[in-house]
Amino acid sequence: MPSRSSRPLRAATLTVAAVCSTLLVLPSSAGADTGKAIRIHDIQGSTRLSPYAGRQVTGVPGIVTGVRGFGSARGFWLQDTDPDDNPATSEGIFVYTGKESPGVAVGDALTASGEVAEFYPGGKEAGGQSVTQLTGATWRSAPADGGRRAELPAAFRLTPRSIPRTYAPDAGGGSIENRALRPSRYALDRYESLEGMRVSVRDARVTGPTSAYHDLWVTADPRQRPTPRGGTLYGSYGDQNGARMKVSSLLPLDEHPFPKADVGDELAGSTEGPLDYEQFGGYTLRATTLGTHRDRDLKRERTRAQRADELAVATYNVENLSPRTDPAKFDRLAEGLVTNLSSPDIVTVEEVQDNTGPEDDGTVAADKTLDMLTETVRKAGGPSYKWRQIDPADKQDGGQPGGNIRVAFLYNPERVSFTDRPGGDATTPVKVVGRSGKPALSASPGRIAPQDAAWQASRKPLAGEFRFRGREVFVVANHFSSKGGGDLDGDQPMEGRFQPPARHSEPQRVEQAKLLNSFARDVRAKDRNALIVAGGDFNDFPFSPTLDALRSGHALTSPMNRLPANERYGYVFNGNSQSLDHLLTSPAVRRPDYDIVHINAEFADQSSDHDPSVVRIPLR
């Protein structure tokens, strides 16, 4: 069998206690009294679960290809240099030593003994795949060619030819664990067949920037749905982009600093190491050799200023902003609003926390947070924005515990006016009423159906009436339920053992979308030519049922669709460039000019994990 690679574990998150993985308990040990030498490919088998799970094995030979000597999930990777002829069976395995450093080095020739276990990073309930490993292990030197050190097996190179285009087998939503691996047909099967083995990528383009955890994402196929700025576009549920690969390092950070890379940069030369599997992102190359960081000097974008007769409405997720946030972040957000977004007339902002931030002390007011933001904008040379919002009930809107995140409006009073109508509070639903034959809000600002079950543990939309050049404009700020679930069930991981993965969080967002769609219909029922803008973090994709429900009956449209398909993104997750933030408009909005302003998501240095967007609406 050709040499191949291993699977990822996230060292920073694994603990000894987490090794309570499910074991298939079978009698006796193997390799000691059967007369048969057990090899790693026998332990790994041709499915995702080891046929030796729960059994003791002895005298398993191999070469140490990587050592994790830090964290609470230490150990080393062992790879057999005498592979079988079955491409489905991995020749590598992780030997887990807990909090103890193993005291071995790359290149050591060993024979290992221990219990075979299937470990599920993050717990089996999280839906991820398992890592086959040896626990309670002992080992001894097995000198190669008269010496302890041995030549490492060649790394299996990940290329467009070696990674299948089809991502995973379809099990109708069930588990793929017991299915025979087909590494030439499915990308996930290819990676599983390389679990624990040395793999490599060469001259790999970065598609997900360096994170605070010292990891990044690359692609082994630069032609797989590229974006103009170097990323990889997630354009449909069937386009998972299987050539993406997470990279972390086994090298000491003080001696080998991890590169601070942006999307579009490159790891030039060869990056290689054992292939692991971890909770956050799935298959991960644990680098023992890192390619040279080649900086492509990605620039932050600036959108043009709106003309006198254009209403500019933007949306920006400011990511858990509170008075306790580092002042440098306020400065960066202000710069983004003033310089990169060219001071929009109206901004819907999401993830505004209360005045004490994550401290769970019953505080729900956010006036200090918003005052700090608007004052920082003013000092940065921007307009003297005013703001409107409604305090939520304590601990009812999800998000970071104690933070009471909510949506809010910023607006430039020199360009637009806000129509204040009393009566809006955390629980009273806003209604569309008639005034002089035109639609109006019963309260402005007001929350849309705040007590509907669709908003459980989620932010409630905020509707407001604005006036620009003599025209009424209805704006709704939104932040739909997270895909991660928060207080509710989150989606199963794309790279998990259930295929296709269930989108548990989606039905709630669809119901939320129906409520917002109904609101837009109510406005248009009183004036078919009403101007409506619904902006925010909808936590879903342009091709999702959520966006379909928002656009149902042509109550709202997506001006983002005017952009080229490979430019429709403003968020990067696991190396996929995607779109969660939207500005939708009513059909009466003619010739909208839409721009996603890339200043955050593609960069290692971020003021938020979201890029802002702006739509300019001509009103002559």
Side-chain angles (χ1 to χ4, degrees):
M1 151 180 109
S3 60
R4 288 154 311 190
S5 71
S6 91
R7 261 187 197 163
L9 291 169
R10 185 169 208 152
T13 61
L14 301 182
T15 64
V16 176
V19 181
C20 53
S21 48
T22 299
L23 298 177
L24 305 178
V25 180
L26 299 174
S28 79
S29 62
D33 54 8
T34 63
K36 177 187 175 184
I38 299 298
R39 314 293 292 213
I40 293 174
H41 49 249
D42 298 320
I43 297 171
Q44 287 283 7
S46 57
T47 71
R48 285 170 164 79
L49 298 176
S50 171
Y52 287 87
R55 296 176 65 175
Q56 292 286 331
V57 294
T58 60
V60 180
I63 304 296
V64 177
T65 60
V67 179
R68 184 161 57 219
F70 52 86
S72 57
R74 305 184 188 194
F76 60 92
W77 285 268
L78 196 67
Q79 184 167 333
D80 199 332
T81 56
D82 185 18
D84 65 7
D85 59 0
N86 185 351
T89 57
S90 172
E91 302 294 342
I93 195 167
F94 184 67
V95 180
Y96 172 77
T97 62
K99 294 182 179 180
E100 299 297 324
S101 295
V104 299
V106 171
D108 286 353
L110 307 175
T111 58
S113 304
E115 183 178 6
V116 179
E118 295 289 345
F119 170 67
Y120 292 86
K124 192 170 184 179
E125 299 76 17
Q129 299 189 51
S130 63
V131 177
T132 303
Q133 59 185 26
L134 292 184
T135 64
T138 59
W139 54 88
R140 63 181 182 179
S141 297
D145 297 327
R148 188 176 181 227
R149 306 300 294 275
E151 183 178 350
L152 295 182
F156 181 92
R157 188 172 170 188
L158 302 173
T159 69
R161 292 176 63 90
S162 66
I163 304 171
R165 300 287 291 186
T166 303
Y167 189 65
D170 188 337
S175 174
I176 59 175
E177 282 189 314
N178 290 303
R179 293 193 171 205
L181 297 176
R182 303 175 70 181
S184 64
R185 182 162 184 178
Y186 303 112
L188 285 188
D189 283 13
R190 167 63 75 198
Y191 296 140
E192 178 63 22
S193 75
L194 300 170
E195 174 188 281
M197 294 178 59
R198 277 170 43 80
V199 298
S200 70
V201 290
R202 187 167 186 83
D203 297 332
R205 193 182 73 225
V206 174
T207 65
T210 301
S211 78
Y213 300 99
H214 306 293
D215 54 43
L216 53 77
W217 288 77
V218 299
T219 180
D221 184 357
R223 294 174 295 179
Q224 190 171 66
R225 302 180 187 89
T227 69
R229 291 167 57 85
T232 296
L233 184 75
Y234 182 54
S236 77
Y237 292 122
D239 295 335
Q240 299 95 332
N241 300 316
R244 292 172 299 113
M245 174 62 61
K246 188 174 182 178
V247 176
S248 69
S249 179
L250 294 175
L251 302 169
L253 289 175
D254 54 347
E255 300 175 20
H256 303 274
F258 196 79
K260 189 175 181 180
D262 301 327
V263 166
D265 288 356
E266 186 178 78
L267 293 184
S270 185
T271 297
E272 55 191 50
L275 187 64
D276 195 10
Y277 184 94
E278 66 162 46
Q279 177 185 1
F280 301 102
Y283 293 101
T284 301
L285 193 164
R286 305 292 190 191
T288 54
T289 300
L290 267 172
T292 302
H293 176 213
R294 185 171 293 164
D295 188 349
R296 296 299 188 184
D297 195 25
L298 188 70
K299 300 295 186 184
R300 288 180 165 84
E301 291 186 336
R302 295 186 180 187
T303 196
R304 69 171 178 84
Q306 63 272 28
R307 294 188 293 266
D309 62 352
E310 288 180 316
L311 175 67
V313 183
T315 186
Y316 201 169
N317 184 320
V318 295
E319 194 180 12
N320 290 324
L321 189 69
S322 81
R324 299 190 177 187
T325 300
D326 187 337
K329 176 170 176 173
F330 279 90
D331 292 338
R332 291 280 300 278
L333 291 172
E335 180 185 11
L337 288 165
V338 175
T339 301
N340 302 93
L341 281 172
S342 295
S343 299
D345 302 313
I346 303 169
V347 187
T348 71
V349 287
E350 301 84 50
E351 293 200 21
V352 174
Q353 290 193 343
D354 63 39
N355 292 335
T356 59
E359 183 176 348
D360 191 3
D361 59 357
T363 300
V364 294
D367 54 308
K368 294 179 181 178
T369 307
L370 290 162
D371 283 345
M372 287 179 65
L373 177 59
T374 53
E375 177 60 13
T376 308
V377 169
R378 186 192 66 78
K379 288 181 179 178
S384 295
Y385 281 119
K386 294 185 179 295
W387 54 264
R388 294 291 186 275
Q389 63 98 50
I390 292 177
D391 293 331
D394 190 30
K395 292 188 279 290
Q396 295 303 303
D397 283 19
Q400 186 177 19
N404 288 312
I405 59 172
R406 83 288 309 275
V407 296
F409 298 123
L410 307 183
Y411 69 95
N412 181 359
E414 295 185 3
R415 292 267 299 169
V416 298
S417 62
F418 187 85
T419 303
D420 286 293
R421 291 200 181 93
D425 59 30
T427 58
T428 302
V430 66
K431 303 292 185 183
V432 179
V433 298
R435 292 179 185 271
S436 303
K438 292 291 185 179
L441 301 182
S442 59
S444 177
R447 299 177 109 193
I448 296 175
Q451 293 185 301
D452 193 284
W455 305 112
Q456 181 185 355
S458 181
R459 285 64 56 189
K460 286 68 174 172
L462 187 71
E465 272 188 60
F466 293 84
R467 195 164 185 86
F468 176 74
R469 294 175 68 89
R471 293 288 304 273
E472 293 293 330
V473 183
F474 297 89
V475 182
V476 185
N478 303 271
H479 188 185
F480 281 13
S481 297
S482 167
K483 289 181 175 295
D487 295 337
L488 306 175
D489 288 339
D491 296 353
Q492 291 175 340
M494 179 190 295
E495 67 284 348
R497 68 185 185 276
F498 299 104
Q499 294 293 335
R503 302 191 295 271
H504 292 306
S505 67
E506 182 178 86
Q508 184 181 21
R509 285 192 300 279
V510 170
E511 292 305 309
Q512 293 170 349
K514 289 177 180 178
L515 292 172
L516 181 53
N517 177 271
S518 179
F519 172 84
R521 286 173 185 255
D522 287 347
V523 174
R524 296 190 69 229
K526 297 188 180 301
D527 180 3
R528 188 168 182 80
N529 294 316
L531 301 176
I532 307 170
V533 182
D537 178 1
F538 291 93
N539 266 315
D540 229 331
F541 311 120
F543 49 82
S544 67
T546 300
L547 270 293
D548 288 342
L550 283 169
R551 296 182 292 243
S552 177
H554 302 287
L556 295 167
T557 64
S558 290
M560 183 193 294
N561 291 342
R562 291 172 169 259
L563 297 175
N566 63 354
E567 295 181 14
R568 300 172 194 170
Y569 69 91
Y571 189 78
V572 178
F573 180 72
N574 287 356
N576 269 331
S577 295
Q578 53 198 246
S579 182
L580 301 179
D581 304 87
H582 305 264
L583 288 157
L584 295 100
T585 57
S586 57
V589 172
R590 307 294 183 186
R591 301 180 304 280
D593 182 26
Y594 200 94
D595 195 8
I596 302 171
V597 187
H598 300 297
I599 61 175
N600 287 319
E602 297 171 313
F603 296 88
D605 179 19
Q606 303 178 343
S607 53
S608 168
D609 51 350
H610 293 250
D611 288 329
S613 301
V614 62
V615 61
R616 290 175 284 260
I617 302 168
L619 291 176
R620 295 180 174 85

